[in-house]
Structures are given as structure tokens and as C-alpha cells.
Amino acid sequence: MAKATVGAAGIEYIQGAMLKPKKANGHKHGNYLIMTHRTAPTTNPNCQRIYSKPADAYTRSTDPTADELAARTRFSVVSAQVAQRKKNLATMNQDREAFEAQKNTPGGKKTLVSYLWMVVGAAYDAEHQG
């Protein structure tokens, strides 16, 4: 749903989906109503936009490609392995030490989770590319 910022004079801006179509009896009623707020610096004072899209605007028109399906599979597998590895007491100390050792190096991962994603993702890629 939409996020709004309220100031002393009332609503300053709204950003996000204000209205989504209602699905009933197998079809959708209404449209999407989306508002955006530009935060980039500019000289244009008009920073608020509103868009109305049809109910089926976000319905995919093509089947996923083989690359998309492979990326989805990789994400699912790596995500599950990262979640397991975060809870694994046997490797927790080694992972933390390896993370701390690389954290302040150029290109080093700044969070433990991003480090685990890198390590587990590289292992997944090595296993499935050969």
C-alpha cells in the first residue's frame, strides 16, 4: 500500500499504490492507482505523479524463459542454504571469522548475510556450471 508523509499543513506526499483492483468471482474490478514522489534533486517543482493502470497491467503476457527459471531455482536453493547456514552452530564461528577478515577489504561484503549469499552462491554456481 501507499506510504504518506504528513506535515503541519497536512499530507506532504504519498508514494505507492493507493488503490488496487478487487478480485471477485474470478475477475478484477477497478484499476490500480499509483502515486510516485521524485526525491532526486531538480529545479522542477512538480515532484508528485499519479498513474492509473488497468486491472491486468501486472499480468505476465509470456511464459518465463529458461534463464528466468534457472535464476528462480538458484535463488530458492541459495536462500534456503543461507538460512540454514546462519543457524548452523558448527560453522558459525568460522563464518564470522571469515566475514570479519574480508569486511574491510576492497569489494568486501559489509554484512554477514551478504557474505553468506556470496559464499553459498559461489558454491552453487561452481556445482551447477560444470
Side-chain angles (χ1 to χ4, degrees):
M1 294 313 294
K3 294 180 183 178
T5 298
V6 179
I11 296 175
E12 291 182 9
Y13 71 85
I14 299 175
Q15 186 170 4
M18 294 178 58
L19 180 69
K20 293 182 179 181
K22 179 181 177 184
K23 188 172 185 178
N25 300 324
H27 63 281
K28 296 178 182 175
H29 300 278
N31 293 332
Y32 286 97
L33 188 60
I34 301 166
M35 294 191 74
T36 62
H37 178 77
R38 185 184 62 242
T39 56
T42 182
T43 57
N44 186 344
N46 302 319
C47 58
Q48 189 78 18
R49 302 277 192 270
I50 187 167
Y51 302 97
S52 179
K53 294 182 174 244
D56 62 349
Y58 298 107
T59 302
R60 188 177 182 123
S61 62
T62 60
D63 292 332
T65 64
D67 289 342
E68 288 175 296
L69 294 174
R72 289 178 187 180
T73 302
R74 180 186 185 275
F75 181 85
S76 298
V77 171
V78 172
S79 176
Q81 289 177 352
V82 166
Q84 272 185 337
R85 192 159 172 166
K86 282 190 340 185
K87 296 175 185 176
N88 187 351
L89 297 176
T91 61
M92 188 178 296
N93 288 335
Q94 293 172 340
D95 288 339
R96 288 194 187 276
E97 288 172 6
F99 163 69
E100 290 295 333
Q102 63 83 46
K103 182 168 79 170
N104 294 321
T105 61
K109 298 297 181 183
K110 301 301 180 195
T111 66
L112 179 61
V113 174
S114 65
Y115 171 75
L116 291 176
W117 269 90
M118 179 188 72
V119 170
V120 175
Y124 179 90
D125 292 342
E127 182 181 328
H128 289 86
Q129 299 298 330

